Amino acid sequence: MDIAITGSTGLIGEALRASLLADGHRVVRVVRREASGPDEIRWDPAAGRLDPADLAGLDAVVHLAGEGIAEKRWTTAQKQRILTSRTEGTGLVARAMAACDADGPQVLVSGSAIGWYGDRGDEELTESSDAGTGFLADVCRQWEAAADPARAAGLRVAHARTGIVLDPDGGVLAKQLPLFRVGLGGRIGNGRQYMSWIALEDEVAALRFLVDHDVEGPVNLTAPNPVTNRAFTEALGSALHRPTVVPVPGFGPKLLFGGELVDELLLASQRVRPHRLQEAGFTFARPELGPALDALLHQG
């Protein structure tokens, strides 16, 4: 297949690109700088620049680009960047795809997040659950709605509502490992908040599954067994053979990152199930946290 990827230099995008190339697919990177060859397309979301003609001959677009959620404190300006980077980029891709002739891509797999559900305690959440409240829930609603032009044009659109992606070389796990490796890891807050996680290997496989299979609408990309923060902490300590007896009170991260970010990213509880993926026949390579962490931390 011929597949375009936005956000191809991020943790997920790089892994997806490598996986597709290894299996003989052609990957076209959508980049902000001048394209350097036939396997790159230039775009400029802020300026609304993406030529539909550049998408001719492609089978699908996987849209993963967006401002990092946890890279900076959530100032008013940063929150606006987080929102507009998603709505402008998604809207641009959707409009360009809708404007293509019949030889354009027929499938859009567009990034989203389980932030859609907000802080829901112990409630089990599936794709049919209502949207939650809070900044991230608002972002996700507008993010997914921005793909409407592609949907209205009759293209298949799947929204990949991704959870916490685990990989030792990037994301949340990479940030946690230094403290946990010296025995200073611990639960955050009371540790009762649910964490819906997915191994990077399964994230990539699920994105490819959505390209290949007739699934549309919201799809939760999370392992089938979410765990509490306390259970996650214990599993990570066990995988590293380190104690996890130093709890992190909620006010500590709030001083560093701000209260709203911490409340929505570290203390919010989201017990998400991948109902639609499993219903469509997807099989997880790493469905259980303990074995997943062992594989990730001791591979090779």
Side-chain angles (χ1 to χ4, degrees):
M1 299 180 71
D2 297 285
I3 302 170
I5 303 177
T6 74
S8 63
T9 59
L11 174 68
I12 299 170
E14 280 191 344
L16 175 62
R17 178 172 178 265
S19 174
L20 289 167
L21 289 173
D23 286 341
H25 300 287
R26 175 178 173 239
V27 176
V28 176
R29 301 173 64 208
V30 183
V31 299
R32 295 175 188 270
R33 54 175 169 72
E34 288 293 337
S36 62
D39 289 338
E40 289 189 348
I41 294 171
R42 188 184 182 193
W43 75 328
D44 184 345
R49 182 186 185 280
L50 176 59
D51 190 345
D54 288 340
L55 303 178
L58 297 175
D59 297 297
V61 176
V62 181
H63 173 49
L64 302 174
E67 177 80 10
I69 291 289
E71 301 304 315
K72 301 176 182 177
R73 289 177 70 95
W74 282 1
T75 62
T76 300
Q78 179 63 10
K79 288 168 69 175
Q80 188 62 36
R81 282 191 289 270
I82 289 170
L83 173 63
T84 57
S85 70
R86 285 160 174 76
T87 55
E88 288 180 351
T90 303
L92 178 58
V93 169
R95 291 191 302 273
M97 291 179 65
C100 286
D101 294 330
D103 66 342
Q106 300 298 300
V107 178
L108 171 60
V109 177
S110 189
S112 186
I114 61 171
W116 165 279
Y117 302 106
D119 184 2
R120 304 289 276 271
D122 294 343
E123 179 185 357
E124 290 201 353
L125 303 166
T126 69
E127 292 86 354
S128 61
S129 299
D130 293 336
T133 59
F135 170 65
L136 291 181
D138 290 341
V139 167
C140 289
R141 277 196 296 271
Q142 295 181 63
W143 191 3
E144 294 186 9
D148 284 347
R151 208 172 353 256
L155 307 180
R156 180 167 67 83
V157 179
H159 299 285
R161 290 183 182 168
T162 296
I164 300 168
V165 179
L166 299 184
D167 185 78
D169 297 321
V172 172
L173 185 57
K175 293 178 180 178
Q176 291 178 306
L177 284 175
L179 280 177
F180 274 79
R181 280 181 166 141
V182 296
L184 295 177
R187 60 175 170 77
I188 300 175
N190 61 28
R192 293 196 293 269
Q193 67 273 30
Y194 272 90
M195 300 173 62
S196 294
W197 60 277
I198 184 170
L200 180 60
E201 171 186 357
D202 281 328
E203 173 75 10
V204 167
L207 289 169
R208 293 187 57 172
F209 185 90
L210 294 180
V211 169
D212 293 336
H213 292 75
D214 190 20
V215 181
E216 58 187 325
V219 185
N220 293 332
L221 269 59
T222 60
N225 298 293
V227 297
T228 63
N229 175 261
R230 182 187 295 272
F232 182 91
T233 299
E234 292 172 353
L236 182 52
S238 176
L240 293 170
H241 308 292
R242 294 292 186 272
T244 54
V245 295
V246 185
V248 180
F251 69 81
K254 287 183 180 182
L255 291 175
L256 291 174
F257 304 109
E260 188 178 16
L261 183 154
V262 171
D263 284 341
E264 294 206 26
L265 289 181
L266 299 182
L267 299 178
S269 182
Q270 294 163 335
R271 191 179 186 182
V272 179
R273 302 287 188 184
H275 176 73
R276 297 201 65 203
L277 264 183
Q278 292 185 302
E279 187 179 53
F282 181 79
T283 301
F284 286 85
R286 309 292 180 193
E288 299 284 350
L289 181 62
L293 287 173
D294 284 336
L296 288 168
L297 298 174
H298 306 296
Q299 52 191 347

